[in-house]
Amino acid sequence: MGWLFYTDRRVQTYADEKAEITRLSTSHGDRRKTELVKACKVGSTWYAAAKVTNLDGTAVEDTTFVTDADGSITFGAVFLTRYDDGCWGYKDMEESAGPNEARAPLGLIELLSDLKDPDSYAQDWRQRCRDWASIPDYEEGDKIRLAKPVTLTDSSTCQIVTATHYERGRQKRRCYRIEGTGGLVRLSRASLAGSELLSSAKGGASPMLAEYLAGRE
């Protein structure tokens, strides 16, 4: 499905977007109905859990999902969204298609029905969501070993870093001090996947003292 842009609907706020996601995730046919169970927005992407139920009360049979105890199935969906010339547009994809965007919260993943194929695209997507959620929020002074070296703009690499920050105006921006060189680098959250905490920040210590103590360990 390509991008679709509305011209007859006012989609300007978070509430407007959620109302559209609810509408897009809801349908009532002759035999089945689909209803939104939960929706979460991460960046410009919406993640949804939608429940499918047979109107006659029989169990839903599906080749991808295991039927839940109440006879329904609940699947995950991804809605990429953007604005173009003031119009809100979306592109949707069901989890079994293996969406690239995989940052759905664990609370939403836990609502989904079990999968019949452990090697399916949907299983891979759910695992990528879990991997993203497992990335820790490091504290000032934490010493970290990255899962693999990161190549910097000067072609050098770094793998052991210490969480710190720099200030821009009145805002503190997270960055990391490189082991050995002392240089500072910004790292994306994705680059922290699979990282290992080598030593934790000292409680109550100033950022400068935390770095000093980490260097003595």
Side-chain angles (χ1 to χ4, degrees):
M1 179 182 292
W3 288 98
L4 302 179
F5 295 99
Y6 292 115
T7 57
D8 58 344
R9 296 178 182 273
R10 289 177 59 85
V11 181
Q12 298 178 332
T13 67
Y14 175 90
D16 293 336
E17 288 192 30
K18 189 170 185 179
E20 281 300 295
I21 298 301
T22 301
R23 185 184 69 83
L24 294 168
S25 303
T26 303
S27 66
H28 287 77
D30 294 334
R31 296 180 55 250
R32 292 182 174 181
K33 66 176 180 178
T34 304
E35 299 174 298
L36 180 68
V37 178
K38 186 180 182 69
C40 304
K41 187 179 183 183
V42 180
S44 61
T45 302
W46 281 88
Y47 297 93
K51 183 175 183 178
V52 181
T53 307
N54 283 338
L55 297 179
D56 62 5
T58 59
V60 176
E61 295 293 337
D62 190 88
T63 58
T64 301
F65 304 97
V66 177
T67 306
D68 292 331
D70 64 355
S72 68
I73 61 169
T74 301
F75 66 91
V78 175
F79 293 84
L80 306 181
T81 68
R82 73 182 186 197
Y83 285 89
D84 186 20
D85 291 333
C87 296
W88 183 82
Y90 76 93
K91 183 177 182 180
D92 62 343
M93 186 178 296
E94 193 257 318
E95 63 170 310
S96 61
N100 287 328
E101 296 295 324
R103 302 181 182 181
L106 292 181
L108 188 147
I109 297 297
E110 292 169 355
L111 297 173
L112 307 180
S113 300
D114 291 338
L115 298 166
K116 292 182 177 179
D117 182 1
D119 297 320
S120 65
Y121 286 127
Q123 184 62 52
D124 175 72
W125 177 77
R126 293 184 187 186
Q127 187 57 52
R128 285 188 284 121
C129 290
R130 295 187 183 99
D131 291 344
W132 179 263
S134 69
I135 298 174
D137 292 322
Y138 290 111
E139 297 181 1
E140 188 92 5
D142 284 349
K143 190 174 182 179
I144 308 150
R145 183 193 303 276
L146 303 177
K148 59 183 179 180
V150 172
T151 301
L152 308 179
T153 55
D154 63 358
S155 298
S156 64
T157 62
C158 67
Q159 188 167 15
I160 297 179
V161 296
T162 299
T164 183
H165 74 271
Y166 69 93
E167 294 186 5
R168 174 172 291 178
R170 297 183 178 180
Q171 293 185 329
K172 290 184 177 181
R173 303 291 182 87
R174 171 51 57 85
C175 65
Y176 298 84
R177 190 174 301 282
I178 302 170
E179 181 84 355
T181 69
L184 299 178
V185 63
R186 293 290 301 276
L187 296 175
S188 67
R189 181 176 172 85
S191 66
L192 297 173
S195 58
E196 173 190 3
L197 178 64
L198 299 179
S199 61
S200 61
K202 303 300 181 181
S206 68
M208 183 176 296
L209 181 57
E211 286 192 36
Y212 170 77
L213 292 172
R216 292 176 60 88
E217 294 178 348

